[in-house]
Amino acid sequence: MAGITAVLTGRLARRGTLLSIAIVNGDAIACRMSEMTARILDPAAIEQKLSLNTYNVDAERAHIRIIDSEVCLKCVRQQCINCCPANCYAPQDDGTVLFSYEGCVECGTCRIVCNQFRNVEWTYPRGGFGVQYRFG
């Protein structure tokens, strides 16, 4: 297909759920699960799996942040809200996006889908901090 510059695909958890993000003409346009695994993905199951993880939150230094909340006003899609598997992004009444890094699973999806404005800054958490996976 003309215009597609990258398709990023990965498998999540033990059941092999397929997550795909396509970059078309510089825009991330899709976050979708394969049709075969869509039946196992209900919100309660995802929340249950995420609750097994433990988070050692670094109160002194956030490992990820929105660089400029005013830039979010220019973004029509605000895909970070829809694509974050841990629901760390929340839309605000004024059009900005609120990010809570405390539940971040460090997957990097937000960095990929914010490719138009590159308004997400991510660094590795300091040693001993961040998510600790307990499932899968």
Side-chain angles (χ1 to χ4, degrees), residues 4 11 20 29 40 42 59 65 73 77-78 85 117 120 128:
I4 294 180
R11 296 217 177 264
S20 296
I29 62 161
I40 64 166
D42 63 273
R65 69 181 186 94
L73 297 171
R77 294 189 197 117
Q78 293 187 336
F117 296 103
V120 176

Side-chain angles (χ1 to χ4, degrees), residues 85-136:
N87 294 320
C88 292
Y89 292 86
Q92 301 300 294
D93 293 335
D94 63 357
T96 59
V97 177
L98 176 68
F99 177 70
S100 300
Y101 73 96
E102 293 86 357
C104 178
V105 295
E106 302 169 20
C107 66
T109 300
C110 56
R111 291 179 26 193
I112 295 169
V113 299
C114 187
N115 64 331
Q116 182 179 4
F117 296 103
R118 302 199 192 290
N119 198 30
V120 176
E121 180 181 71
W122 188 90
T123 57
Y124 285 105
R126 293 188 305 160
F129 293 99
V131 64
Q132 295 176 356
Y133 290 100
R134 303 248 168 131
F135 181 82

Side-chain angles (χ1 to χ4, degrees), residues 7 14 20 23 26 30 37-39 41-42 48 51 56-57 59 63 72 81 84 86 89 98 102 116 123-124 130:
V7 175
R14 289 184 179 180
S20 296
I23 309 296
T37 58
R39 59 181 158 57
L41 291 179
D42 63 273
Q48 188 178 35
S51 70
N56 190 6
V57 177
H63 71 283
C72 297
I81 296 168
C84 178
Y89 292 86
L98 176 68
E102 293 86 357
Q116 182 179 4
T123 57
Y124 285 105

